[in-house]
Amino acid sequence: MDEERVTAVKRRNPVLTWLVWPLITLGIYYFVWWYKINREARDSSVEVSPGLALLAVLIGWVIIVPPYISIFRTGERIARMQDSANQRPSCNGWIGLILSFFFGLHALYYQIELNRIWEHESKHPSPSKQH
């Protein structure tokens, strides 16, 4: 699973993720990105169904609450990923939730936090990843 994880994660430009690609794709990129980051969390041994997380933000707006729960929980998942990468968890689901009300800034915040994990892991690979 460690080998899969190495190839499954991707360092992304936060501004492109938050603003540029969603604008160019008329919002579709956001949903693809949301699925991918939750899949990366699952691949990092955090319990999550990426499909359900996606459905919550994709069609959950009909009953208002599900997208916000998904945003909050994804922030908590990123914090767990940071912890499992031997980092001090700096991602906060509450901050992500609040930022979601301001131009969707949670996407920018979450991608910055994810990039910190990938940067840390590239500098400090676990013993099973060293060859």
Side-chain angles (χ1 to χ4, degrees):
M1 184 167 203
D2 285 335
E3 291 302 317
E4 290 175 21
R5 183 173 178 207
V6 171
T7 59
V9 300
K10 182 176 181 183
R11 221 173 287 148
R12 300 172 184 92
N13 181 307
V15 175
L16 291 177
T17 298
W18 164 65
L19 183 64
V20 177
W21 299 134
L23 282 175
I24 290 173
T25 64
L26 303 175
I28 293 170
Y29 178 81
Y30 172 81
F31 299 112
V32 172
W33 172 79
W34 196 256
Y35 177 83
K36 285 183 178 186
I37 66 169
N38 279 283
R39 188 188 66 213
E40 290 167 1
R42 184 199 62 206
D43 293 346
S44 297
S45 301
V46 174
E47 191 172 324
V48 60
S49 169
L52 286 177
L54 174 63
L55 280 176
V57 295
L58 188 60
I59 60 174
W61 59 269
V62 173
I63 53 176
I64 302 170
V65 177
Y68 300 112
I69 292 172
S70 184
I71 290 167
F72 173 79
R73 288 187 177 162
T74 297
E76 297 298 303
R77 290 178 195 118
I78 294 169
R80 278 183 262 156
M81 290 167 67
Q82 290 172 327
D83 187 49
S84 69
N86 297 318
Q87 287 182 289
R88 183 184 64 76
S90 59
C91 190
N92 186 307
W94 289 110
I95 293 173
L97 182 61
I98 292 166
L99 289 173
S100 72
F101 291 101
F102 300 97
F103 309 108
L105 286 170
H106 66 286
L108 180 72
Y109 172 62
Y110 286 165
Q111 190 57 58
I112 289 169
E113 294 293 337
L114 285 165
N115 286 349
R116 287 181 182 162
I117 298 169
W118 313 145
E119 183 68 27
H120 176 79
E121 288 190 347
S122 70
K123 290 180 181 176
H124 306 95
S126 67
S128 64
K129 293 180 189 174
Q130 294 176 346
H131 298 282

